[in-house]
Amino acid sequence: QVQLVESGGGLVQAGGSLRLSCAASGRTFSSYAMGWFRQAPGKEREFVAAINQSGGSTYYADSVKGRFTISRDNAKNTVYLQMNSLKPEDTAVYYCAASMWLGILRTQYEYAFWGQGTQVTVSS
C-alpha cells in the first residue's frame, strides 16, 4: 500500500512554469511505476506522463511533449512534474498515481493508488 500527496499547484499566467511534487509514503517507492494524469471540468481524466521504476524511461502525452518533464527521486520517495510554457488548456486538477506493474503505464486502469489531486489554473 502507498499513500500519495500532491503539492505545487496554483495559478500561473500563460507561458509560465510550475513544478508539481507527489510525495509517497512507505519504504518501497522504487517498486512503483508512477504517472501523472489530469482532469479538466466536464472532461474525462487523461494521461499526462509516466515514468518507470528506475526513472530510466518516460513517456508523455502528445499535448505536453516538449513542455513537461516527469522525474523521480527514489531516495526522497517523490515524483515530480515540471511544467513549462503553460497554456490555458493545461488548466485541470492534476493527480499522481502509482502502480506495482512494471514499466511505462499509460492508462488510469493500470494504476491502483491515487493522490487527492492539486489544482493548476493557467490564465490567458
Side-chain angles (χ1 to χ4, degrees):
Q1 195 93 4
V2 62
Q3 293 184 326
L4 305 172
V5 179
E6 301 98 334
S7 62
L11 174 64
V12 63
Q13 289 189 331
S17 298
L18 282 175
R19 189 176 82 154
L20 305 183
S21 299
C22 174
S25 64
R27 291 174 285 182
T28 59
F29 177 70
S30 60
S31 300
Y32 292 90
M34 301 297 296
W36 285 96
F37 291 76
R38 66 187 182 186
Q39 188 167 19
K43 294 189 175 182
E44 299 283 325
R45 187 175 297 187
E46 65 174 2
F47 169 79
V48 175
I51 190 166
N52 72 341
Q53 280 77 356
S54 69
S57 294
T58 58
Y59 189 85
Y60 299 92
D62 287 344
S63 58
V64 307
K65 201 174 297 182
R67 300 188 298 122
F68 290 11
T69 302
I70 187 172
S71 62
R72 66 190 296 161
D73 186 336
N74 285 342
K76 294 184 178 179
N77 283 12
T78 302
V79 63
Y80 305 98
L81 186 69
Q82 177 67 43
M83 305 186 296
N84 299 329
S85 302
L86 282 161
K87 304 175 182 180
E89 51 263 44
D90 294 319
T91 295
V93 177
Y94 283 72
Y95 299 89
C96 73
S99 174
M100 291 293 289
W101 293 11
L102 294 176
I104 296 292
L105 308 174
R106 289 173 261 178
T107 72
Q108 58 181 315
Y109 308 106
E110 295 173 290
Y111 291 89
F113 306 102
W114 292 82
Q116 83 290 348
T118 185
Q119 176 71 46
V120 171
T121 303
V122 184
S123 63
S124 57

